[in-house]
Amino acid sequence: MADETIGVVGAGIVGLATAREIALRRPGTRVVVLEKEHEVSRHQTGHNSGVVHAGIYYPPGSLKADLTVRGVALLRAYCQDRGLPYREIGKLVVAVREDELGRMARLYERAKHNHVPDLRTVSREEIKELEPHAGGIAALHSPRTAITDYPAIAREFAKDVTDSGGEVRLGFEVTGITTVPGGVEVASGPERVAVDRLVLCAGLQSDTVAALARGGPEPRIVPFRGEYMLLKPERAHLVRGLIYPVPDPRYPFLGVHFTPRVDGSVEVGPNAVLALAREGYRRTRVSPRDLLGLAAYPGTWRMAARHWRTGVKEYRGSFSAAAFMKDAGHYVPGVGVHDVVRGGAGVRAQALDRDGTLVDDFRIHRSDRITAVRNAPSPAATASLAIAAHIVDEIFRKT
């Protein structure tokens, strides 16, 4: 119905893209975005490294693969239309050991299935032509991989929503969700907002908000903090494009890498350490409630039993810059602890199943009037416009 009201919980890039898509697709629909913070893109979007992923890593046929490849084209066109930064600086996925070559070859085949444009395998000599200071014995080169400014994009999405007659209501922390005859009532303390349909895009709080809506208990969110170093300005010239390791398929993390930013800085990182709070951007931030929630969930202990050795290594890098830079030095030899300063940090909302499996693909659950994004980690920013289209297709799909 054109005169209905649709609510979206969460003003990160996925929530705002979804609200924008609803407003564009259904003129006359009132859209209201509900956000607990006092500005948009405060959490995962605002701590994003700015990479526009080309679709190299994701299993063919997965929602991630489909929506990322579609999302790149949509995002590129949007940035060009709005005059937002979008720079195709290219990416090297570098093998530094012989035993990584098989994984790199399988990654190449996966990327070709996903129609990643202009991807090719390059030799040691060709690596040096592309990145004179990089190491490695072979690499995949993705020249169309880009960087952008996701907080700026999110702010533009918010403007699109308000320009279409919608509302982005800040400082509205959702404390209750109740299905009522003909719709859904969303509460923030004593305040109430009535909507016909509701979309939950709550990121780090996605499982807790879903629980308010009587959603299923799984997957649960486990917060992983990713910490960055920054190359000192006089050393930033050592890196031209993105330099990544060949990823370990056991983990949804891509390993420590070099990332030029649109502001000219170069990040090194991130690591992946278990955060002691959902919004634990600092090591000193501890939330007893979040810790109790993790401890009470069987999946946490099963994950820890499988991956504790990796966890110890990641924590070592968190407290020691020398340990952090040890792996990075394989990809740009000679770059070490004296070439970097501590940078920022982000927290990834990593979904975890009860059996201890780290959820890799996007998960979007739909009931009668409520659609919940239960897992949307990287590359959700890249895929945000395609995710939004997928969600809106689901909302208005005839049942």
Side-chain angles (χ1 to χ4, degrees):
M1 294 173 58
D3 59 349
E4 67 182 346
T5 298
I6 299 181
V8 177
V9 175
I13 197 166
V14 173
L16 291 167
T18 301
R20 173 185 177 273
E21 181 72 14
I22 294 167
L24 291 175
R25 187 96 62 97
R26 308 281 285 202
T29 297
R30 178 173 177 265
V31 183
V32 56
V33 179
L34 306 171
E35 167 58 48
K36 74 181 180 71
E37 303 294 351
H38 292 279
E39 58 184 314
V40 304
S41 71
R42 274 291 304 275
H43 293 292
Q44 291 184 107
T45 304
H47 295 82
N48 193 292
S49 62
V51 178
V52 182
H53 292 279
I56 294 172
Y57 306 102
Y58 319 120
S62 66
L63 203 54
K64 261 191 181 182
D66 179 34
L67 297 182
T68 300
V69 173
R70 289 166 52 194
V72 170
L74 294 170
L75 193 69
R76 183 194 305 115
Y78 186 84
C79 289
Q80 290 171 347
D81 180 62
R82 301 304 175 92
L84 296 168
Y86 191 96
R87 294 173 49 205
E88 291 184 343
I89 62 172
K91 174 193 283 188
L92 284 174
V93 181
V94 179
V96 296
R97 302 188 309 270
E98 293 286 340
D99 62 3
E100 293 179 323
L101 294 177
R103 274 193 281 147
M104 192 183 83
R106 290 189 290 275
L107 197 63
Y108 175 81
E109 292 303 318
R110 173 176 286 188
K112 295 301 286 185
H113 277 292
N114 291 340
H115 306 290
V116 174
D118 304 324
L119 186 74
R120 65 190 181 101
T121 302
V122 297
S123 65
R124 186 195 305 264
E125 292 73 26
E126 290 171 303
I127 291 174
K128 290 296 183 184
E129 293 174 7
L130 294 163
E131 290 282 356
H133 302 283
I137 58 176
L140 299 180
H141 182 225
S142 171
R144 302 291 293 278
T145 298
I147 56 174
T148 189
D149 183 341
Y150 285 117
I153 294 170
R155 291 190 294 270
E156 193 72 10
F157 286 170
K159 184 176 183 298
D160 291 342
V161 172
T162 56
D163 285 351
S164 69
E167 180 183 2
V168 179
R169 187 174 299 187
L170 303 174
F172 189 103
E173 181 173 0
V174 174
T175 57
I177 298 173
T178 306
T179 301
V180 296
V184 182
E185 188 176 81
V186 186
S188 180
E191 190 174 0
R192 300 287 187 273
V193 173
V195 298
D196 295 284
R197 305 171 196 254
L198 185 66
V199 184
L200 308 179
C201 300
L204 287 161
Q205 308 294 340
S206 60
D207 55 347
T208 59
V209 173
L212 294 176
R214 306 294 190 270
E218 297 173 17
R220 294 285 292 274
I221 294 299
V222 177
F224 279 90
R225 186 174 60 256
E227 300 159 331
Y228 290 89
M229 298 288 183
L230 286 173
L231 285 184
K232 292 178 178 178
E234 63 270 22
R235 303 294 277 171
H237 71 278
L238 297 177
V239 177
R240 294 177 176 177
L242 300 149
I243 303 175
Y244 278 58
V246 176
D248 186 330
R250 294 175 297 173
Y251 306 106
F253 310 108
L254 297 178
V256 170
H257 45 268
F258 290 80
T259 306
R261 303 294 302 266
V262 293
D263 64 4
S265 63
V266 177
E267 288 182 333
V268 187
N271 58 2
V273 297
L274 185 66
L276 303 182
R278 287 182 185 244
E279 297 170 10
Y281 299 105
R282 300 185 306 276
R283 288 195 294 265
T284 54
R285 175 74 188 278
V286 179
S287 166
R289 183 179 66 177
D290 291 345
L291 284 177
L292 285 172
L294 286 174
Y297 187 53
T300 304
W301 300 102
R302 291 167 181 152
M303 175 190 70
R306 293 175 190 171
H307 303 306
W308 68 268
R309 291 181 179 83
T310 300
V312 169
K313 177 184 175 184
E314 294 291 312
Y315 268 107
R316 188 180 298 122
S318 179
F319 286 92
S320 166
F324 189 104
M325 292 302 296
K326 182 178 179 181
D327 285 343
H330 296 306
Y331 301 95
V332 182
V335 170
V337 66
H338 299 297
D339 301 301
V340 296
V341 295
R342 288 277 179 184
V347 180
R348 173 188 175 120
Q350 175 59 56
L352 181 70
D353 276 333
R354 179 171 286 270
D355 65 359
T357 301
L358 295 165
V359 180
D360 187 41
D361 205 2
F362 299 148
R363 284 197 189 173
I364 301 169
H365 297 172
R366 177 177 178 258
S367 61
D368 182 30
R369 293 183 177 272
I370 299 174
T371 302
V373 179
R374 298 297 301 263
N375 189 48
S378 177
T382 298
S384 56
L385 288 169
I387 293 172
H390 176 82
I391 289 171
V392 175
D393 287 344
E394 286 292 302
I395 291 173
F396 298 111
R397 176 171 55 86
K398 293 182 179 179
T399 56

